[in-house]
């Protein structure tokens, strides 16, 4: 199953039903329905509809359609009717003009103060509008097609995000591999320093109780070395970090709705990298911790776009 981004855009147009023709009027081309759907990242599914007045009745079925295909994202749907070339310029027929003239005479007979029909009034009355209900199949067909394009765009963007995340996972694994041998080396170096200090102390002091003091000093030096090793040991952090990396890779392979789980794992990665830095006793380990946190922050920004 693919991984979907929450970022995408799609638009399409579809010719609508023809307006009915009355009398001997010249047929006119119908209007065109235009629709666009755009989405960005969001914690939940947030739908916004910006429909023209004559399409408002179709918001409930459109909402149901989007909810069946999308799980997360701030989604905006725009739709409206656009006039095709020549619409509204249909030539009225003679019978229509005669009827409009007769109706105007009748109205003026009863209401002499009424305003006579203008050319615009005649053209409007001679061009009946297509009923909103007639647009139902067209709206549903166009919405399904536009939504398919949006989902495909989100899938393509999701694939790019997956490739980027896989690259960052590989770099984090390399950094973890660099950090592992540093701690044992540092512990051994520190142990040797403690023992050297013990030998120096024993060489400077000489007394009757020297053997007993030497043994006590050696035990203390070894205890301090052990405490130091415990304090800087990051093996547990590296083990948990590797486990989180494995789980992220598994989720990317699985696909589907993995955005929230990935976001949680990124937080855990950041916690382990912080602990690694706080326990650092060498500049090299500090550098590795900083490099890890930079990569993890980049991953966090991209994971927030995944559905």
């Amino acid at each position: 199953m693919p991984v979907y981004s929450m970022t995408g855009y799609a638009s399409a147009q579809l010719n609508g039903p023809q307006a009915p023709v009355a009398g001997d009027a010249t047929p006119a081309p119908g209007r065109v329905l235009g629709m666009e759907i755009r989405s960005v990242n969001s914690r939940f599914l947030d739908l916004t509809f910006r429909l023209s007045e004559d399409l408002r009745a179709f918001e409930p079925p459109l909402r149901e359609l989007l909810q069946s295909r999308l799980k997360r994202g701030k989604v905006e749907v725009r739709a409206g009717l656009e006039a095709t070339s020549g619409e509204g310029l249909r030539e009225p027929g003679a019978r229509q003009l005669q009827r409009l003239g007769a109706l105007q005479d009748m109205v003026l007979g009863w209401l002499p103060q009424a305003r006579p029909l203008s050319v615009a009034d005649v053209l409007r009355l001679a061009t009946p509008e297509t009923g909103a209900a007639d647009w139902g199949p067209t709206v549903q067909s166009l919405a399904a097609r536009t939504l398919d394009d949006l989902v495909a765009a989100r899938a393509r963007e999701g694939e790019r995000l997956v490739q980027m995340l896989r690259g960052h996972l590989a770099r984090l694994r390399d950094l973890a591999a660099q950090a592992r041998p540093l701690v044992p080396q540092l512990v051994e170096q520190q142990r040797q320093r403690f023992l050297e200090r013990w030998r120096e102390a024993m060489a400077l002091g000489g007394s009757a109780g020297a053997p007993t003091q030497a043994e006590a000093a050696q035990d203390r030096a070894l205890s301090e070395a052990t405490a130091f090793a415990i304090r800087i040991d990051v093996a547990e952090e590296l083990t948990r970090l590797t486990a989180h990396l494995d789980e992220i890779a598994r989720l990317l392979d699985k696909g589907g709705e993995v955005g929230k789980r990935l976001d949680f794992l990124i937080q855990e990665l950041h916690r382990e990298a912080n602990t690694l830095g706080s326990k650092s006793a060498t500049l090299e380990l500090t550098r590795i911790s900083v490099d890890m946190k930079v990569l993890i922050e980049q991953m966090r920004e991209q994971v927030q776009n995944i559905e």
Side-chain angles (χ1 to χ4, degrees):
M1 183 179 294
V3 171
Y4 293 99
S5 168
M6 286 185 283
T7 302
Y9 174 83
S11 64
Q13 289 184 333
L14 195 62
N15 291 327
Q18 297 287 325
V21 178
D24 56 350
T26 304
R31 290 184 292 176
V32 173
L33 173 64
M35 182 177 293
E36 64 177 28
I37 307 177
R38 64 184 68 207
S39 67
V40 294
N41 62 309
S42 176
R43 292 185 62 190
F44 308 101
L45 182 60
D46 182 9
L47 301 178
T48 302
F49 293 87
R50 303 188 184 278
L51 309 178
S52 59
E53 189 63 33
D54 41 6
L55 298 178
R56 291 282 179 84
F58 302 112
E59 180 175 330
L62 288 176
R63 182 179 297 274
E64 183 178 351
L65 176 63
L66 266 65
Q67 288 175 338
S68 68
R69 299 284 303 277
L70 307 176
K71 304 305 178 184
R72 292 179 64 199
K74 183 176 178 59
V75 183
E76 181 181 89
V77 180
R78 292 178 178 267
L81 299 176
E82 304 173 4
T84 57
S85 177
E87 185 190 8
L89 301 179
R90 178 171 59 187
E91 181 180 348
R95 291 173 58 188
Q96 282 185 306
L97 293 176
Q98 289 173 358
R99 187 176 181 185
L100 287 174
L103 290 173
Q104 176 178 247
D105 292 342
M106 183 180 68
V107 171
L108 290 176
W110 286 91
L111 303 171
Q113 301 301 321
R115 179 177 62 84
L117 291 173
S118 66
V119 174
D121 293 333
V122 172
L123 291 175
R124 178 173 54 82
L125 293 171
T127 309
E129 294 290 339
T130 303
D134 297 336
W135 286 92
T138 305
V139 170
Q140 289 297 314
S141 176
L142 184 62
R145 193 174 84 187
T146 310
L147 184 55
D148 286 342
D149 293 342
L150 176 72
V151 171
R154 286 165 56 127
R156 290 192 298 271
E157 178 64 19
E159 180 59 29
R160 286 192 286 269
L161 293 177
V162 167
Q163 295 303 320
M164 185 278 296
L165 291 173
R166 291 191 191 282
H168 281 27
L169 290 178
R171 294 176 63 185
L172 285 171
R173 292 184 191 278
D174 289 341
L175 290 172
Q178 295 174 28
R180 280 191 179 88
L182 293 178
V183 173
Q185 294 173 7
L186 183 61
V187 169
E188 181 59 27
Q189 292 173 5
Q190 193 66 22
R191 180 175 176 274
Q192 292 301 322
R193 291 195 192 99
F194 285 138
L195 291 176
E196 288 174 5
R197 292 176 185 174
W198 166 72
R199 294 190 187 98
E200 291 174 359
M202 292 301 98
L204 292 175
S207 62
T212 303
Q213 293 178 0
E215 184 177 349
Q218 184 180 24
D219 290 343
R220 182 177 178 182
L222 293 176
S223 297
E224 291 181 1
T226 302
F228 176 78
I230 294 174
R231 188 169 64 253
I232 69 167
D233 184 24
V234 292
E236 185 176 350
E237 285 75 14
L238 291 175
T239 299
R240 286 197 297 265
L241 187 142
T242 301
H244 296 330
L245 295 179
D246 292 341
E247 179 64 11
I248 291 175
R250 188 189 70 81
L251 290 175
L252 294 179
D253 290 337
K254 175 185 175 184
E257 302 164 33
V258 297
K260 291 183 178 181
R261 296 189 64 183
L262 288 174
D263 189 52
F264 170 76
L265 289 170
I266 292 298
Q267 295 179 31
E268 295 302 306
L269 283 179
H270 198 271
R271 181 178 291 108
E272 302 304 337
N274 274 335
T275 305
L276 191 69
S278 66
K279 288 187 173 183
S280 174
T282 64
L283 290 177
E284 181 63 16
L285 202 56
T286 300
R287 179 195 65 79
I288 290 174
S289 172
V290 171
D291 289 347
M292 281 185 172
K293 286 190 280 189
V294 170
L295 289 171
I296 292 168
E297 187 60 33
Q298 292 173 353
M299 293 175 69
R300 184 202 302 276
E301 293 177 0
Q302 300 304 323
V303 161
Q304 289 176 353
N305 290 320
I306 292 179
E307 187 177 46

Coordinates of all heavy atoms in Angstrom, one line a residue, residues 70-108:
L70 N -10.4 10.2 1.8 CA -9.3 10.9 2.5 C -9.5 10.8 4.0 O -10.6 10.7 4.5 CB -9.3 12.4 2.1 CG -9.3 12.7 0.6 CD1 -9.4 14.2 0.4 CD2 -8.0 12.2 -0.1
K71 N -8.4 10.6 4.7 CA -8.4 10.5 6.1 C -7.9 11.7 6.9 O -8.3 11.9 8.0 CB -7.6 9.2 6.5 CG -8.0 7.9 5.8 CD -9.5 7.7 6.0 CE -9.9 6.4 5.3 NZ -11.4 6.2 5.4
R72 N -6.9 12.4 6.3 CA -6.3 13.5 7.0 C -6.0 14.6 6.0 O -5.8 14.3 4.8 CB -5.0 13.1 7.8 CG -5.2 12.2 9.0 CD -3.8 11.9 9.6 NE -3.2 13.1 10.1 CZ -1.9 13.2 10.4 NH1 -1.1 12.2 10.1 NH2 -1.4 14.3 10.9
G73 N -5.9 15.8 6.5 CA -5.5 16.9 5.6 C -6.6 18.1 5.6 O -7.7 17.8 5.9
K74 N -6.1 19.3 5.4 CA -7.0 20.4 5.2 C -7.3 20.5 3.8 O -6.4 20.9 3.0 CB -6.3 21.7 5.8 CG -7.2 22.9 5.7 CD -6.5 24.1 6.3 CE -7.4 25.4 6.3 NZ -8.7 25.2 6.9
V75 N -8.5 20.2 3.4 CA -8.9 20.1 2.0 C -9.9 21.2 1.6 O -10.9 21.4 2.3 CB -9.5 18.7 1.7 CG1 -9.9 18.5 0.2 CG2 -8.6 17.6 2.1
E76 N -9.6 21.9 0.5 CA -10.5 22.9 0.0 C -11.0 22.5 -1.4 O -10.3 22.2 -2.2 CB -9.8 24.2 -0.1 CG -10.7 25.4 -0.6 CD -10.0 26.7 -0.6 OE1 -9.4 27.0 -1.7 OE2 -10.0 27.4 0.4
V77 N -12.4 22.6 -1.5 CA -13.0 22.2 -2.8 C -13.7 23.5 -3.4 O -14.5 24.1 -2.7 CB -14.1 21.1 -2.6 CG1 -14.7 20.8 -4.0 CG2 -13.5 19.9 -2.0
R78 N -13.3 23.8 -4.6 CA -13.9 24.9 -5.3 C -14.6 24.4 -6.5 O -14.1 23.6 -7.3 CB -12.9 26.0 -5.7 CG -12.3 26.7 -4.5 CD -11.2 27.7 -5.0 NE -10.6 28.5 -3.9 CZ -11.1 29.6 -3.5 NH1 -12.1 30.2 -4.1 NH2 -10.5 30.3 -2.4
A79 N -15.8 24.9 -6.8 CA -16.6 24.5 -8.0 C -17.5 25.6 -8.4 O -18.0 26.3 -7.5 CB -17.4 23.2 -7.7
G80 N -17.6 25.8 -9.7 CA -18.5 26.8 -10.2 C -18.8 26.5 -11.7 O -18.2 25.7 -12.3
L81 N -19.8 27.2 -12.2 CA -20.2 27.1 -13.6 C -19.6 28.3 -14.4 O -19.7 29.4 -14.0 CB -21.8 27.1 -13.7 CG -22.5 26.0 -12.9 CD1 -24.0 26.2 -13.0 CD2 -22.1 24.7 -13.5
E82 N -19.0 27.9 -15.5 CA -18.4 28.9 -16.3 C -19.1 29.0 -17.7 O -19.5 27.9 -18.2 CB -16.9 28.5 -16.6 CG -16.1 28.4 -15.3 CD -14.7 27.9 -15.5 OE1 -14.4 27.7 -16.7 OE2 -14.0 27.6 -14.5
A83 N -19.3 30.2 -18.2 CA -19.9 30.3 -19.5 C -19.0 29.9 -20.6 O -17.8 30.3 -20.6 CB -20.4 31.8 -19.6
T84 N -19.6 29.2 -21.5 CA -18.8 28.8 -22.7 C -18.9 30.0 -23.7 O -19.7 30.9 -23.6 CB -19.3 27.5 -23.4 OG1 -20.7 27.7 -23.7 CG2 -19.2 26.4 -22.4
S85 N -18.1 29.9 -24.7 CA -18.1 31.0 -25.7 C -19.4 31.0 -26.4 O -19.9 30.0 -26.9 CB -17.0 30.7 -26.8 OG -17.0 31.6 -27.8
G86 N -20.0 32.2 -26.4 CA -21.3 32.4 -27.1 C -22.5 32.2 -26.2 O -23.6 32.4 -26.6
E87 N -22.3 31.7 -25.0 CA -23.5 31.4 -24.1 C -24.1 32.8 -23.8 O -23.4 33.7 -23.5 CB -23.1 30.7 -22.9 CG -24.4 30.4 -22.0 CD -24.0 29.9 -20.7 OE1 -22.9 29.9 -20.3 OE2 -25.0 29.4 -20.0
G88 N -25.4 32.9 -23.8 CA -26.1 34.1 -23.5 C -26.3 35.0 -24.7 O -27.0 36.0 -24.7
L89 N -25.8 34.6 -25.9 CA -25.9 35.3 -27.1 C -26.8 34.5 -28.1 O -26.7 34.8 -29.3 CB -24.5 35.6 -27.7 CG -23.6 36.4 -26.9 CD1 -22.2 36.6 -27.6 CD2 -24.2 37.7 -26.5
R90 N -27.6 33.6 -27.6 CA -28.4 32.8 -28.5 C -29.4 33.7 -29.1 O -30.0 34.6 -28.4 CB -29.1 31.7 -27.7 CG -30.0 30.9 -28.5 CD -30.5 29.7 -27.7 NE -31.2 30.0 -26.5 CZ -31.6 29.2 -25.6 NH1 -31.3 27.9 -25.8 NH2 -32.2 29.6 -24.5
E91 N -29.7 33.6 -30.4 CA -30.6 34.4 -31.1 C -32.0 34.0 -30.8 O -32.4 32.9 -31.1 CB -30.3 34.3 -32.6 CG -31.3 35.2 -33.4 CD -31.0 35.1 -34.9 OE1 -29.9 34.5 -35.3 OE2 -31.8 35.6 -35.7
P92 N -32.8 34.9 -30.2 CA -34.2 34.5 -29.9 C -35.0 34.3 -31.2 O -34.8 34.9 -32.2 CB -34.8 35.7 -29.1 CG -33.6 36.5 -28.7 CD -32.5 36.2 -29.7
G93 N -36.0 33.3 -31.1 CA -36.8 33.1 -32.3 C -37.9 34.1 -32.4 O -38.3 34.8 -31.5
A94 N -38.5 34.1 -33.6 CA -39.6 35.1 -33.8 C -40.8 34.8 -32.9 O -41.4 35.7 -32.4 CB -40.1 35.0 -35.3
R95 N -41.1 33.5 -32.7 CA -42.2 33.2 -31.8 C -42.0 33.6 -30.4 O -42.9 34.1 -29.7 CB -42.5 31.7 -31.8 CG -43.1 31.2 -33.2 CD -43.1 29.7 -33.2 NE -44.0 29.2 -32.1 CZ -44.1 27.9 -31.8 NH1 -43.4 27.0 -32.5 NH2 -44.9 27.5 -30.8
Q96 N -40.7 33.5 -29.9 CA -40.4 34.0 -28.6 C -40.6 35.5 -28.5 O -41.1 36.0 -27.5 CB -39.0 33.6 -28.2 CG -38.8 32.1 -27.8 CD -37.3 31.9 -27.4 OE1 -36.4 32.2 -28.1 NE2 -37.2 31.3 -26.2
L97 N -40.1 36.2 -29.5 CA -40.2 37.6 -29.4 C -41.6 38.1 -29.5 O -42.0 39.1 -28.8 CB -39.4 38.2 -30.6 CG -37.9 38.1 -30.6 CD1 -37.2 38.6 -31.8 CD2 -37.3 38.8 -29.3
Q98 N -42.5 37.4 -30.3 CA -43.9 37.8 -30.3 C -44.5 37.5 -29.0 O -45.3 38.4 -28.5 CB -44.6 36.9 -31.4 CG -44.2 37.3 -32.8 CD -44.8 36.4 -33.8 OE1 -45.5 35.4 -33.5 NE2 -44.6 36.6 -35.1
R99 N -44.2 36.4 -28.4 CA -44.8 36.1 -27.1 C -44.4 37.1 -26.0 O -45.2 37.6 -25.2 CB -44.5 34.7 -26.6 CG -45.2 34.3 -25.4 CD -44.9 32.8 -25.0 NE -45.7 32.4 -23.8 CZ -45.5 31.3 -23.3 NH1 -44.7 30.4 -23.7 NH2 -46.2 31.0 -22.2
L100 N -43.1 37.5 -26.0 CA -42.6 38.4 -25.0 C -43.2 39.8 -25.3 O -43.5 40.5 -24.3 CB -41.0 38.5 -25.1 CG -40.2 37.4 -24.6 CD1 -38.7 37.5 -24.9 CD2 -40.4 37.3 -23.1
G101 N -43.4 40.2 -26.6 CA -44.0 41.4 -26.9 C -45.5 41.5 -26.4 O -45.9 42.5 -25.8
A102 N -46.2 40.4 -26.6 CA -47.6 40.3 -26.1 C -47.7 40.4 -24.6 O -48.5 41.1 -24.1 CB -48.2 39.0 -26.6
L103 N -46.8 39.7 -23.9 CA -46.8 39.7 -22.5 C -46.4 41.1 -22.0 O -47.0 41.6 -21.0 CB -45.8 38.7 -21.9 CG -46.1 37.2 -22.1 CD1 -45.0 36.3 -21.6 CD2 -47.4 36.9 -21.3
Q104 N -45.5 41.8 -22.6 CA -45.2 43.1 -22.2 C -46.3 44.1 -22.4 O -46.6 44.9 -21.5 CB -43.9 43.7 -23.0 CG -43.6 45.1 -22.7 CD -42.4 45.6 -23.5 OE1 -41.3 45.8 -22.9 NE2 -42.5 45.7 -24.8
D105 N -47.1 44.0 -23.5 CA -48.2 44.8 -23.8 C -49.3 44.6 -22.7 O -49.9 45.5 -22.2 CB -48.8 44.5 -25.2 CG -47.9 45.0 -26.3 OD1 -47.0 45.8 -26.0 OD2 -48.0 44.5 -27.4
M106 N -49.5 43.3 -22.3 CA -50.5 43.0 -21.3 C -50.1 43.6 -20.0 O -50.9 44.2 -19.3 CB -50.7 41.5 -21.2 CG -51.8 41.1 -20.2 SD -51.9 39.3 -20.1 CE -50.4 38.9 -19.3
V107 N -48.8 43.5 -19.6 CA -48.4 44.1 -18.3 C -48.5 45.6 -18.3 O -48.9 46.2 -17.4 CB -46.9 43.6 -18.1 CG1 -46.3 44.4 -16.8 CG2 -46.8 42.1 -17.8
L108 N -48.1 46.2 -19.4 CA -48.1 47.7 -19.5 C -49.6 48.2 -19.5 O -49.9 49.3 -19.1 CB -47.4 48.2 -20.8 CG -45.9 48.0 -20.7 CD1 -45.3 48.5 -22.1 CD2 -45.2 48.8 -19.6

